[in-house]
Amino acid sequence: MNKVAVITGALKGLGLETAKGLLNKKYQVVISGRDQVRGLEVEADLAKFGSVKFIQLDVADVASIEAFTKDVLADFGSIDVLVNNAGIFPDREKAASLEDLSEDLHKAFRTNSVGPMLMIEKVLPGMLAKGSGRIVNVSSGMGQLSHMGGGSPAYRVSKVALNGVTKFYYATLRNTDVLINSVCPGWVKTDMGGSQAPRSLEKGVSGIIWAATLPKGGPNGGFFRDGEPLEF
Ligand code: NAP
């Protein structure tokens, strides 16, 4: 039976391109997102590439994560790969007030850090029982603690926290074949990255797909771009 990969925020951008890449590699792919209508359209579009199923998921909603993972496990039995791709960039512009900053921070943490952690909590027991798994946290160079820049505090700090999630789980997974890594896709032309971004979607997802399909003994607990290590 082909391996099962779950991708969050897979109805456009890097998530959708990751779905295509994993379908090409013969994974059974569960695409997820908030919009049921769009989800079924994307599922129909991708069907020509292989086995794909859409299941609705809002990673900022605990009940949705519970329902989603229950449905995936009922349909597929197990999950081999989790790509925590869904993300938001709420503070491209400077927050006007403390209240705005607070709202941006809460939204960003809920989607970019807490959601991925809750997803991991739901899939990890199955991976450990099976003895293998691959978890990719799609992070950003903007969350690189060692090279922190100014501006966009909610996005930056929520991605630092996501990298913290990677390290936190690695502490208990280091001697297992459940490999968890953070990946920066680079600055990519998507709705989030904008039209000025220098990277194509194909280039952006190559490092995500690399981390999702690592062989046994591959790197664990790291931060990568294009398969090359980055400092946290
Ligand atoms: P995008 O085109 O804006 O796509 C983001 C996806 O996340 C959308 O499908 C969006 O769904 C989904 N999403 C947002 N909130 C969600 C939620 N609560 N539940 C489920 N899905 C949710 O952005 P992208 O560029 O492909 O970004 C993908 C990932 O790469 C993000 O984590 C981002 O931070 C990271 N990244 C991107 C770049 C870049 O240059 N593009 C650089 C570094 C890192 P809706 O359509 O429903 O909003």
Side-chain angles (χ1 to χ4, degrees):
M1 207 54 173
N2 292 346
K3 288 184 173 167
V4 177
V6 165
I7 306 167
T8 68
L11 305 188
K12 66 177 183 177
L14 288 158
L16 175 55
E17 196 67 19
T18 300
K20 288 181 191 163
L22 291 177
L23 284 167
N24 280 332
K25 289 186 177 291
K26 305 294 173 218
Y27 283 72
Q28 300 181 79
V29 175
V30 181
I31 54 168
S32 63
R34 292 177 286 192
D35 184 336
Q36 175 84 18
V37 174
R38 169 104 183 107
L40 292 174
E41 283 168 8
V42 175
E43 180 191 82
D45 284 351
L46 292 182
K48 58 180 174 289
F49 296 112
S51 163
V52 59
K53 177 160 180 144
F54 167 75
I55 301 179
Q56 195 171 33
L57 171 66
D58 179 348
V59 299
D61 179 340
V62 181
S64 176
I65 290 175
E66 295 270 15
F68 172 82
T69 46
K70 194 170 163 215
D71 283 357
V72 176
L73 291 173
D75 286 358
F76 295 90
S78 63
I79 296 169
D80 300 286
V81 175
L82 168 64
V83 181
N84 272 322
N85 166 78
I88 56 168
F89 192 157
D91 56 350
R92 206 175 294 277
E93 306 294 331
K94 191 176 184 323
S97 65
L98 205 60
E99 203 173 302
D100 292 339
L101 175 60
S102 170
E103 195 175 316
D104 287 346
L105 282 162
H106 280 96
K107 276 197 292 200
F109 268 84
R110 196 173 268 271
T111 304
N112 297 351
S113 334
V114 177
M117 186 159 184
L118 299 183
M119 287 296 295
I120 293 168
E121 283 291 316
K122 293 303 288 185
V123 306
L124 196 52
M127 289 181 174
L128 286 171
K130 211 171 172 179
S132 82
R134 302 291 176 264
I135 300 170
V136 184
N137 289 327
V138 182
S139 186
S140 168
M142 288 178 74
Q144 222 177 338
L145 205 49
S146 52
H147 294 81
M148 188 48 63
S152 306
Y155 185 72
R156 285 185 186 277
V157 179
S158 68
K159 290 294 190 183
V160 172
L162 178 61
N163 286 344
V165 169
T166 299
K167 291 302 271 185
F168 171 77
Y169 285 102
Y170 170 63
T172 49
L173 296 174
R174 63 175 78 225
N175 294 318
T176 73
D177 185 39
V178 179
L179 308 181
I180 179 165
N181 292 291
S182 285
V183 169
C184 170
W187 185 17
V188 183
K189 272 187 194 63
T190 62
D191 286 353
M192 185 187 290
S195 56
Q196 302 298 312
R199 286 194 158 208
S200 67
L201 271 176
E202 275 171 3
K203 179 76 179 153
V205 297
S206 62
I208 298 175
I209 290 169
W210 169 81
T213 59
L214 284 170
K216 193 170 181 172
N220 201 357
F223 188 18
F224 297 90
R225 184 184 295 129
D226 301 331
E228 298 295 330
L230 286 179
E231 266 181 84
F232 275 102

PDB file of all heavy atoms in Angstrom, residues 9 11-15 34 57-60 85-88 111 138-140 155 159 185-188 190-193, ligand 1:
ATOM      1  N   GLY A   9      -3.349  23.197   4.524  1.00  0.00           N
ATOM      2  CA  GLY A   9      -3.345  24.384   3.650  1.00  0.00           C
ATOM      3  C   GLY A   9      -2.939  24.041   2.238  1.00  0.00           C
ATOM      4  O   GLY A   9      -2.109  24.724   1.626  1.00  0.00           O
ATOM      5  N   LEU A  11      -4.747  23.923  -0.649  1.00  0.00           N
ATOM      6  CA  LEU A  11      -5.641  24.270  -1.763  1.00  0.00           C
ATOM      7  C   LEU A  11      -5.056  25.332  -2.677  1.00  0.00           C
ATOM      8  O   LEU A  11      -5.679  25.707  -3.677  1.00  0.00           O
ATOM      9  CB  LEU A  11      -7.008  24.714  -1.216  1.00  0.00           C
ATOM     10  CG  LEU A  11      -7.677  23.693  -0.284  1.00  0.00           C
ATOM     11  CD1 LEU A  11      -9.094  24.125   0.054  1.00  0.00           C
ATOM     12  CD2 LEU A  11      -7.655  22.286  -0.866  1.00  0.00           C
ATOM     13  N   LYS A  12      -3.872  25.817  -2.353  1.00  0.00           N
ATOM     14  CA  LYS A  12      -3.171  26.758  -3.231  1.00  0.00           C
ATOM     15  C   LYS A  12      -1.705  26.827  -2.811  1.00  0.00           C
ATOM     16  O   LYS A  12      -1.305  26.205  -1.818  1.00  0.00           O
ATOM     17  CB  LYS A  12      -3.803  28.142  -3.184  1.00  0.00           C
ATOM     18  CG  LYS A  12      -3.685  28.848  -1.839  1.00  0.00           C
ATOM     19  CD  LYS A  12      -4.276  30.253  -1.914  1.00  0.00           C
ATOM     20  CE  LYS A  12      -4.090  30.992  -0.598  1.00  0.00           C
ATOM     21  NZ  LYS A  12      -4.576  32.365  -0.640  1.00  0.00           N
ATOM     22  N   GLY A  13      -0.931  27.587  -3.561  1.00  0.00           N
ATOM     23  CA  GLY A  13       0.441  27.903  -3.175  1.00  0.00           C
ATOM     24  C   GLY A  13       1.325  26.688  -2.960  1.00  0.00           C
ATOM     25  O   GLY A  13       1.233  25.682  -3.673  1.00  0.00           O
ATOM     26  N   LEU A  14       2.185  26.789  -1.959  1.00  0.00           N
ATOM     27  CA  LEU A  14       3.170  25.733  -1.711  1.00  0.00           C
ATOM     28  C   LEU A  14       2.514  24.415  -1.310  1.00  0.00           C
ATOM     29  O   LEU A  14       3.011  23.342  -1.661  1.00  0.00           O
ATOM     30  CB  LEU A  14       4.137  26.199  -0.611  1.00  0.00           C
ATOM     31  CG  LEU A  14       5.119  27.294  -1.059  1.00  0.00           C
ATOM     32  CD1 LEU A  14       5.646  28.076   0.141  1.00  0.00           C
ATOM     33  CD2 LEU A  14       6.273  26.692  -1.841  1.00  0.00           C
ATOM     34  N   GLY A  15       1.394  24.495  -0.594  1.00  0.00           N
ATOM     35  CA  GLY A  15       0.716  23.267  -0.175  1.00  0.00           C
ATOM     36  C   GLY A  15       0.195  22.480  -1.362  1.00  0.00           C
ATOM     37  O   GLY A  15       0.367  21.253  -1.445  1.00  0.00           O
ATOM     38  N   ARG A  34      -9.699  25.019   4.478  1.00  0.00           N
ATOM     39  CA  ARG A  34     -10.946  25.447   5.133  1.00  0.00           C
ATOM     40  C   ARG A  34     -12.144  25.430   4.198  1.00  0.00           C
ATOM     41  O   ARG A  34     -13.268  25.267   4.632  1.00  0.00           O
ATOM     42  CB  ARG A  34     -10.756  26.852   5.700  1.00  0.00           C
ATOM     43  CG  ARG A  34      -9.793  26.874   6.843  1.00  0.00           C
ATOM     44  CD  ARG A  34      -9.552  28.262   7.354  1.00  0.00           C
ATOM     45  NE  ARG A  34      -8.720  29.053   6.456  1.00  0.00           N
ATOM     46  CZ  ARG A  34      -8.172  30.216   6.773  1.00  0.00           C
ATOM     47  NH1 ARG A  34      -8.385  30.716   7.958  1.00  0.00           N
ATOM     48  NH2 ARG A  34      -7.430  30.873   5.908  1.00  0.00           N
ATOM     49  N   LEU A  57     -10.281  21.065   6.878  1.00  0.00           N
ATOM     50  CA  LEU A  57      -9.488  21.283   8.096  1.00  0.00           C
ATOM     51  C   LEU A  57      -9.200  22.764   8.283  1.00  0.00           C
ATOM     52  O   LEU A  57      -8.705  23.435   7.378  1.00  0.00           O
ATOM     53  CB  LEU A  57      -8.152  20.528   7.988  1.00  0.00           C
ATOM     54  CG  LEU A  57      -7.117  20.829   9.082  1.00  0.00           C
ATOM     55  CD1 LEU A  57      -7.595  20.346  10.453  1.00  0.00           C
ATOM     56  CD2 LEU A  57      -5.770  20.191   8.762  1.00  0.00           C
ATOM     57  N   ASP A  58      -9.469  23.237   9.497  1.00  0.00           N
ATOM     58  CA  ASP A  58      -9.022  24.563   9.921  1.00  0.00           C
ATOM     59  C   ASP A  58      -8.030  24.330  11.050  1.00  0.00           C
ATOM     60  O   ASP A  58      -8.418  23.904  12.145  1.00  0.00           O
ATOM     61  CB  ASP A  58     -10.230  25.378  10.411  1.00  0.00           C
ATOM     62  CG  ASP A  58      -9.836  26.772  10.892  1.00  0.00           C
ATOM     63  OD1 ASP A  58      -8.624  27.039  11.057  1.00  0.00           O
ATOM     64  OD2 ASP A  58     -10.745  27.592  11.108  1.00  0.00           O
ATOM     65  N   VAL A  59      -6.758  24.604  10.787  1.00  0.00           N
ATOM     66  CA  VAL A  59      -5.740  24.276  11.791  1.00  0.00           C
ATOM     67  C   VAL A  59      -5.804  25.199  13.012  1.00  0.00           C
ATOM     68  O   VAL A  59      -5.123  24.948  14.005  1.00  0.00           O
ATOM     69  CB  VAL A  59      -4.305  24.287  11.213  1.00  0.00           C
ATOM     70  CG1 VAL A  59      -4.141  23.273  10.107  1.00  0.00           C
ATOM     71  CG2 VAL A  59      -3.874  25.674  10.770  1.00  0.00           C
ATOM     72  N   ALA A  60      -6.603  26.260  12.911  1.00  0.00           N
ATOM     73  CA  ALA A  60      -6.754  27.164  14.063  1.00  0.00           C
ATOM     74  C   ALA A  60      -7.920  26.746  14.959  1.00  0.00           C
ATOM     75  O   ALA A  60      -8.279  27.470  15.890  1.00  0.00           O
ATOM     76  CB  ALA A  60      -6.950  28.597  13.573  1.00  0.00           C
ATOM     77  N   ASN A  85       1.942  22.825   6.530  1.00  0.00           N
ATOM     78  CA  ASN A  85       2.208  23.916   5.577  1.00  0.00           C
ATOM     79  C   ASN A  85       1.341  25.142   5.811  1.00  0.00           C
ATOM     80  O   ASN A  85       1.777  26.264   5.533  1.00  0.00           O
ATOM     81  CB  ASN A  85       1.987  23.379   4.150  1.00  0.00           C
ATOM     82  CG  ASN A  85       1.898  24.500   3.137  1.00  0.00           C
ATOM     83  OD1 ASN A  85       2.907  25.069   2.721  1.00  0.00           O
ATOM     84  ND2 ASN A  85       0.667  24.859   2.748  1.00  0.00           N
ATOM     85  N   ALA A  86       0.109  24.950   6.280  1.00  0.00           N
ATOM     86  CA  ALA A  86      -0.823  26.086   6.415  1.00  0.00           C
ATOM     87  C   ALA A  86      -0.181  27.192   7.233  1.00  0.00           C
ATOM     88  O   ALA A  86       0.446  26.937   8.263  1.00  0.00           O
ATOM     89  CB  ALA A  86      -2.111  25.629   7.108  1.00  0.00           C
ATOM     90  N   GLY A  87      -0.309  28.412   6.743  1.00  0.00           N
ATOM     91  CA  GLY A  87       0.283  29.518   7.487  1.00  0.00           C
ATOM     92  C   GLY A  87      -0.337  30.838   7.083  1.00  0.00           C
ATOM     93  O   GLY A  87      -0.939  30.961   6.010  1.00  0.00           O
ATOM     94  N   ILE A  88      -0.194  31.816   7.955  1.00  0.00           N
ATOM     95  CA  ILE A  88      -0.672  33.172   7.658  1.00  0.00           C
ATOM     96  C   ILE A  88       0.426  34.177   7.990  1.00  0.00           C
ATOM     97  O   ILE A  88       1.309  33.915   8.811  1.00  0.00           O
ATOM     98  CB  ILE A  88      -1.959  33.540   8.429  1.00  0.00           C
ATOM     99  CG1 ILE A  88      -1.770  33.373   9.944  1.00  0.00           C
ATOM    100  CG2 ILE A  88      -3.137  32.705   7.941  1.00  0.00           C
ATOM    101  CD1 ILE A  88      -2.880  33.990  10.769  1.00  0.00           C
ATOM    102  N   THR A 111      -2.359  29.795  14.175  1.00  0.00           N
ATOM    103  CA  THR A 111      -2.265  29.104  12.883  1.00  0.00           C
ATOM    104  C   THR A 111      -0.858  28.552  12.618  1.00  0.00           C
ATOM    105  O   THR A 111      -0.715  27.431  12.133  1.00  0.00           O
ATOM    106  CB  THR A 111      -2.638  30.077  11.736  1.00  0.00           C
ATOM    107  OG1 THR A 111      -3.938  30.597  11.999  1.00  0.00           O
ATOM    108  CG2 THR A 111      -2.633  29.368  10.390  1.00  0.00           C
ATOM    109  N   VAL A 138       6.668  23.677   7.842  1.00  0.00           N
ATOM    110  CA  VAL A 138       7.067  24.686   6.855  1.00  0.00           C
ATOM    111  C   VAL A 138       7.227  26.017   7.577  1.00  0.00           C
ATOM    112  O   VAL A 138       6.260  26.671   7.966  1.00  0.00           O
ATOM    113  CB  VAL A 138       6.064  24.774   5.689  1.00  0.00           C
ATOM    114  CG1 VAL A 138       6.558  25.797   4.664  1.00  0.00           C
ATOM    115  CG2 VAL A 138       5.885  23.404   5.029  1.00  0.00           C
ATOM    116  N   SER A 139       8.482  26.357   7.771  1.00  0.00           N
ATOM    117  CA  SER A 139       8.840  27.533   8.543  1.00  0.00           C
ATOM    118  C   SER A 139       9.322  28.626   7.599  1.00  0.00           C
ATOM    119  O   SER A 139       8.922  28.650   6.423  1.00  0.00           O
ATOM    120  CB  SER A 139       9.915  27.133   9.573  1.00  0.00           C
ATOM    121  OG  SER A 139      10.192  28.201  10.428  1.00  0.00           O
ATOM    122  N   SER A 140      10.172  29.501   8.109  1.00  0.00           N
ATOM    123  CA  SER A 140      10.618  30.622   7.284  1.00  0.00           C
ATOM    124  C   SER A 140      11.943  31.146   7.805  1.00  0.00           C
ATOM    125  O   SER A 140      12.178  31.134   9.031  1.00  0.00           O
ATOM    126  CB  SER A 140       9.574  31.736   7.349  1.00  0.00           C
ATOM    127  OG  SER A 140      10.104  32.921   6.800  1.00  0.00           O
ATOM    128  N   TYR A 155       4.433  37.317  12.564  1.00  0.00           N
ATOM    129  CA  TYR A 155       4.875  36.250  11.655  1.00  0.00           C
ATOM    130  C   TYR A 155       6.215  35.695  12.123  1.00  0.00           C
ATOM    131  O   TYR A 155       6.385  34.483  12.259  1.00  0.00           O
ATOM    132  CB  TYR A 155       4.985  36.791  10.230  1.00  0.00           C
ATOM    133  CG  TYR A 155       5.322  35.722   9.213  1.00  0.00           C
ATOM    134  CD1 TYR A 155       4.382  34.764   8.838  1.00  0.00           C
ATOM    135  CD2 TYR A 155       6.584  35.666   8.630  1.00  0.00           C
ATOM    136  CE1 TYR A 155       4.692  33.780   7.902  1.00  0.00           C
ATOM    137  CE2 TYR A 155       6.893  34.695   7.691  1.00  0.00           C
ATOM    138  CZ  TYR A 155       5.947  33.747   7.326  1.00  0.00           C
ATOM    139  OH  TYR A 155       6.257  32.771   6.410  1.00  0.00           O
ATOM    140  N   LYS A 159       6.948  31.873  13.747  1.00  0.00           N
ATOM    141  CA  LYS A 159       7.782  30.883  13.046  1.00  0.00           C
ATOM    142  C   LYS A 159       8.964  30.448  13.927  1.00  0.00           C
ATOM    143  O   LYS A 159       9.402  29.308  13.839  1.00  0.00           O
ATOM    144  CB  LYS A 159       8.270  31.435  11.701  1.00  0.00           C
ATOM    145  CG  LYS A 159       7.155  31.585  10.653  1.00  0.00           C
ATOM    146  CD  LYS A 159       6.552  30.246  10.215  1.00  0.00           C
ATOM    147  CE  LYS A 159       5.623  30.407   9.014  1.00  0.00           C
ATOM    148  NZ  LYS A 159       4.974  29.157   8.594  1.00  0.00           N
ATOM    149  N   PRO A 185      11.034  27.391   2.571  1.00  0.00           N
ATOM    150  CA  PRO A 185      10.961  27.189   1.106  1.00  0.00           C
ATOM    151  C   PRO A 185      11.679  28.279   0.314  1.00  0.00           C
ATOM    152  O   PRO A 185      11.752  28.193  -0.913  1.00  0.00           O
ATOM    153  CB  PRO A 185       9.448  27.250   0.840  1.00  0.00           C
ATOM    154  CG  PRO A 185       8.907  28.140   1.918  1.00  0.00           C
ATOM    155  CD  PRO A 185       9.772  27.917   3.126  1.00  0.00           C
ATOM    156  N   GLY A 186      12.220  29.294   1.008  1.00  0.00           N
ATOM    157  CA  GLY A 186      12.751  30.468   0.301  1.00  0.00           C
ATOM    158  C   GLY A 186      11.603  31.431   0.013  1.00  0.00           C
ATOM    159  O   GLY A 186      10.458  31.187   0.417  1.00  0.00           O
ATOM    160  N   TRP A 187      11.916  32.512  -0.664  1.00  0.00           N
ATOM    161  CA  TRP A 187      10.891  33.528  -0.974  1.00  0.00           C
ATOM    162  C   TRP A 187      10.252  33.144  -2.311  1.00  0.00           C
ATOM    163  O   TRP A 187      10.890  33.238  -3.358  1.00  0.00           O
ATOM    164  CB  TRP A 187      11.542  34.912  -1.003  1.00  0.00           C
ATOM    165  CG  TRP A 187      10.564  36.033  -1.195  1.00  0.00           C
ATOM    166  CD1 TRP A 187       9.213  35.996  -1.025  1.00  0.00           C
ATOM    167  CD2 TRP A 187      10.868  37.364  -1.618  1.00  0.00           C
ATOM    168  NE1 TRP A 187       8.661  37.214  -1.297  1.00  0.00           N
ATOM    169  CE2 TRP A 187       9.655  38.071  -1.668  1.00  0.00           C
ATOM    170  CE3 TRP A 187      12.064  38.018  -1.955  1.00  0.00           C
ATOM    171  CZ2 TRP A 187       9.596  39.409  -2.062  1.00  0.00           C
ATOM    172  CZ3 TRP A 187      12.004  39.346  -2.341  1.00  0.00           C
ATOM    173  CH2 TRP A 187      10.769  40.035  -2.387  1.00  0.00           C
ATOM    174  N   VAL A 188       9.003  32.708  -2.226  1.00  0.00           N
ATOM    175  CA  VAL A 188       8.356  32.049  -3.363  1.00  0.00           C
ATOM    176  C   VAL A 188       7.129  32.832  -3.833  1.00  0.00           C
ATOM    177  O   VAL A 188       6.353  33.345  -3.015  1.00  0.00           O
ATOM    178  CB  VAL A 188       7.902  30.619  -2.944  1.00  0.00           C
ATOM    179  CG1 VAL A 188       7.290  29.890  -4.135  1.00  0.00           C
ATOM    180  CG2 VAL A 188       9.073  29.833  -2.382  1.00  0.00           C
ATOM    181  N   THR A 190       3.784  33.227  -4.406  1.00  0.00           N
ATOM    182  CA  THR A 190       2.473  32.680  -4.038  1.00  0.00           C
ATOM    183  C   THR A 190       1.645  33.888  -3.612  1.00  0.00           C
ATOM    184  O   THR A 190       2.146  35.012  -3.602  1.00  0.00           O
ATOM    185  CB  THR A 190       2.590  31.724  -2.823  1.00  0.00           C
ATOM    186  OG1 THR A 190       3.073  32.484  -1.705  1.00  0.00           O
ATOM    187  CG2 THR A 190       3.512  30.550  -3.071  1.00  0.00           C
ATOM    188  N   ASP A 191       0.416  33.648  -3.184  1.00  0.00           N
ATOM    189  CA  ASP A 191      -0.369  34.774  -2.652  1.00  0.00           C
ATOM    190  C   ASP A 191       0.366  35.416  -1.474  1.00  0.00           C
ATOM    191  O   ASP A 191       0.366  36.636  -1.328  1.00  0.00           O
ATOM    192  CB  ASP A 191      -1.757  34.305  -2.204  1.00  0.00           C
ATOM    193  CG  ASP A 191      -2.658  34.009  -3.392  1.00  0.00           C
ATOM    194  OD1 ASP A 191      -2.233  34.296  -4.539  1.00  0.00           O
ATOM    195  OD2 ASP A 191      -3.762  33.488  -3.179  1.00  0.00           O
ATOM    196  N   MET A 192       0.996  34.576  -0.647  1.00  0.00           N
ATOM    197  CA  MET A 192       1.723  35.132   0.498  1.00  0.00           C
ATOM    198  C   MET A 192       3.032  35.784   0.068  1.00  0.00           C
ATOM    199  O   MET A 192       3.356  36.887   0.488  1.00  0.00           O
ATOM    200  CB  MET A 192       2.029  34.040   1.540  1.00  0.00           C
ATOM    201  CG  MET A 192       2.675  34.609   2.793  1.00  0.00           C
ATOM    202  SD  MET A 192       3.227  33.346   3.956  1.00  0.00           S
ATOM    203  CE  MET A 192       1.697  32.694   4.582  1.00  0.00           C
ATOM    204  N   GLY A 193       3.779  35.125  -0.762  1.00  0.00           N
ATOM    205  CA  GLY A 193       5.101  35.623  -1.159  1.00  0.00           C
ATOM    206  C   GLY A 193       5.023  36.841  -2.081  1.00  0.00           C
ATOM    207  O   GLY A 193       5.933  37.665  -2.109  1.00  0.00           O
TER     208      GLY A 193
HETATM  209  P1  NAP B   1      -0.472  31.008   0.658  1.00  0.00           P
HETATM  210  O1  NAP B   1      -0.473  30.940  -0.820  1.00  0.00           O
HETATM  211  O2  NAP B   1      -1.037  32.204   1.337  1.00  0.00           O
HETATM  212  O3  NAP B   1      -1.144  29.682   1.216  1.00  0.00           O
HETATM  213  C1  NAP B   1      -1.338  29.497   2.593  1.00  0.00           C
HETATM  214  C2  NAP B   1      -2.289  28.350   2.779  1.00  0.00           C
HETATM  215  O4  NAP B   1      -2.509  28.174   4.174  1.00  0.00           O
HETATM  216  C3  NAP B   1      -3.642  28.600   2.115  1.00  0.00           C
HETATM  217  O5  NAP B   1      -4.061  27.419   1.495  1.00  0.00           O
HETATM  218  C4  NAP B   1      -4.512  28.949   3.308  1.00  0.00           C
HETATM  219  O6  NAP B   1      -5.869  28.643   3.110  1.00  0.00           O
HETATM  220  C5  NAP B   1      -3.907  28.039   4.359  1.00  0.00           C
HETATM  221  N1  NAP B   1      -4.359  28.409   5.687  1.00  0.00           N
HETATM  222  C6  NAP B   1      -4.225  29.585   6.324  1.00  0.00           C
HETATM  223  N2  NAP B   1      -4.823  29.518   7.526  1.00  0.00           N
HETATM  224  C7  NAP B   1      -5.351  28.266   7.632  1.00  0.00           C
HETATM  225  C8  NAP B   1      -6.086  27.599   8.633  1.00  0.00           C
HETATM  226  N3  NAP B   1      -6.448  28.196   9.777  1.00  0.00           N
HETATM  227  N4  NAP B   1      -6.440  26.312   8.411  1.00  0.00           N
HETATM  228  C9  NAP B   1      -6.108  25.696   7.261  1.00  0.00           C
HETATM  229  N5  NAP B   1      -5.444  26.282   6.261  1.00  0.00           N
HETATM  230  C10 NAP B   1      -5.061  27.555   6.463  1.00  0.00           C
HETATM  231  O7  NAP B   1       1.010  30.905   1.230  1.00  0.00           O
HETATM  232  P2  NAP B   1       2.275  30.022   0.786  1.00  0.00           P
HETATM  233  O8  NAP B   1       3.292  30.965   0.321  1.00  0.00           O
HETATM  234  O9  NAP B   1       1.860  28.864  -0.052  1.00  0.00           O
HETATM  235  O10 NAP B   1       2.735  29.534   2.235  1.00  0.00           O
HETATM  236  C11 NAP B   1       2.738  28.178   2.648  1.00  0.00           C
HETATM  237  C12 NAP B   1       3.671  28.074   3.848  1.00  0.00           C
HETATM  238  O11 NAP B   1       4.993  28.470   3.463  1.00  0.00           O
HETATM  239  C13 NAP B   1       3.275  29.007   4.999  1.00  0.00           C
HETATM  240  O12 NAP B   1       3.460  28.330   6.226  1.00  0.00           O
HETATM  241  C14 NAP B   1       4.272  30.142   4.875  1.00  0.00           C
HETATM  242  O13 NAP B   1       4.501  30.803   6.105  1.00  0.00           O
HETATM  243  C15 NAP B   1       5.500  29.423   4.375  1.00  0.00           C
HETATM  244  N6  NAP B   1       6.465  30.295   3.695  1.00  0.00           N
HETATM  245  C16 NAP B   1       6.152  30.901   2.527  1.00  0.00           C
HETATM  246  C17 NAP B   1       7.092  31.713   1.913  1.00  0.00           C
HETATM  247  C18 NAP B   1       6.831  32.400   0.592  1.00  0.00           C
HETATM  248  O14 NAP B   1       7.689  33.179   0.140  1.00  0.00           O
HETATM  249  N7  NAP B   1       5.702  32.157  -0.065  1.00  0.00           N
HETATM  250  C19 NAP B   1       8.342  31.910   2.501  1.00  0.00           C
HETATM  251  C20 NAP B   1       8.630  31.261   3.705  1.00  0.00           C
HETATM  252  C21 NAP B   1       7.683  30.451   4.282  1.00  0.00           C
HETATM  253  P3  NAP B   1      -6.970  29.749   2.728  1.00  0.00           P
HETATM  254  O15 NAP B   1      -6.921  29.805   1.244  1.00  0.00           O
HETATM  255  O16 NAP B   1      -8.222  29.169   3.290  1.00  0.00           O
HETATM  256  O17 NAP B   1      -6.555  31.031   3.385  1.00  0.00           O
END
